[in-house]
């Protein structure tokens, strides 16, 4: 998987005509995407890293779930508190329909990091890769908009997206007003 192949699939007009302006749906734009990160890798990342919110979080019906519903507070020898993911509780919340969010997975998994680096070179801007996973048809996030451009790569399954036109001509960073 290389940036030129992704760029070719998105089209030579992507940067001048699509980015920051509109959306483009390109099935198969990233050949081999399903091999980028597996469920085994996600399980390993969760089991071996201290992933505190907001880096790892669960969302259901547009609301973030309280951390105590899927993690256990642990106290270190230095009396600082961190939250260890409780596998059975995490699994229960995901089975109930919560969506998993893992921010900056490019910093944790080298193949995803390499893709981010390639995209940074092509787009000439910082790229952060966030992972979203759902195991049910329940909606994880309500209607919302992002204050940054988004490239979505579907690894498995199906997702229905509803895209709306812009509500701001030039939104500012972290602008959350409706």
């Amino acid at each position: 998987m290389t940036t030129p192949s992704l760029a070719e699939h998105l089209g030579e007009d992507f940067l001048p005509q699509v980015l920051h302006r509109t959306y483009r749906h390109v099935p198969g734009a990233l050949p081999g995407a399903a091999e980028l990160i597996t469920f085994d890798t996600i399980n390993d990342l969760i089991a071996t890293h201290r992933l505190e919110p907001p880096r790892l979080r669960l969302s259901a019906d547009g609301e973030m779930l309280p951390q105590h519903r899927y993690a256990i507070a642990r106290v270190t020898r230095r009396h600082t508190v961190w939250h260890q993911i409780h596998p059975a509780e995490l699994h229960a919340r995901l089975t109930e329909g919560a969506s998993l969010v893992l921010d900056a997975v490019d910093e944790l998994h080298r193949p995803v990091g390499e893709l981010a680096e390639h995209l940074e070179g092509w787009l000439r801007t910082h790229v952060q890769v966030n992972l979203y996973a759902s195991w049910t048809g329940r909606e994880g996030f309500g209607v919302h908009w992002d204050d940054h451009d988004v490239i979505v790569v579907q690894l498995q399954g199906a997702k229905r997206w509803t895209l709306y036109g812009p509500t701001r001509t030039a939104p500012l960073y972290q602008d959350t007003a409706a």
Side-chain angles (χ1 to χ4, degrees):
M1 155 186 27
T2 64
T3 299
S5 69
L6 179 58
E8 289 169 9
H9 282 90
L10 291 176
E12 63 183 44
D13 65 335
F14 181 81
L15 292 178
Q17 295 181 10
V18 178
L19 189 66
H20 308 304
R21 292 168 186 84
T22 187
Y23 70 92
R24 174 171 289 163
H25 179 239
V26 184
L30 191 59
E35 285 81 43
L36 261 179
I37 190 164
T38 65
F39 285 112
D40 286 341
T41 302
I42 296 167
N43 285 332
D44 184 56
L45 292 174
I46 292 170
T48 59
H49 290 81
R50 288 187 181 180
L51 300 170
E52 298 274 348
R55 189 161 206 183
L56 184 143
R57 58 196 184 278
L58 298 181
S59 179
D61 301 321
E63 300 289 330
M64 291 299 152
L65 271 63
Q67 190 177 19
H68 72 270
R69 297 206 46 216
Y70 57 91
I72 301 168
R74 300 285 190 204
V75 179
T76 69
R77 292 181 311 158
R78 293 193 169 93
H79 307 289
T80 59
V81 178
W82 69 282
H83 294 85
Q84 180 180 21
I85 300 299
H86 187 284
E89 293 301 319
L90 177 68
H91 182 263
R93 301 300 79 78
L94 296 172
T95 301
E96 293 167 359
S99 292
L100 171 72
V101 182
L102 181 56
D103 284 349
V105 72
D106 52 296
E107 297 173 354
L108 301 171
H109 186 57
R110 191 70 208 133
V112 176
E114 289 171 358
L115 173 63
E117 290 170 7
H118 287 301
L119 284 171
E120 285 177 342
W122 180 52
L123 298 171
R124 294 183 176 89
T125 190
H126 174 71
V127 169
Q128 176 176 311
V129 179
N130 298 335
L131 180 138
Y132 300 84
S134 298
W135 283 262
T136 71
R138 186 175 174 190
E139 184 176 313
F141 303 92
V143 173
H144 69 281
W145 64 281
D146 295 307
D147 61 4
H148 52 273
D149 289 301
V150 176
I151 294 177
V152 176
V153 177
Q154 182 86 25
L155 300 179
Q156 289 187 8
K159 175 76 175 169
R160 179 178 302 271
W161 293 79
T162 303
L163 302 176
Y164 300 92
T167 57
R168 304 243 190 322
T169 53
L172 301 174
Y173 174 67
Q174 293 186 338
D175 181 359
T176 58

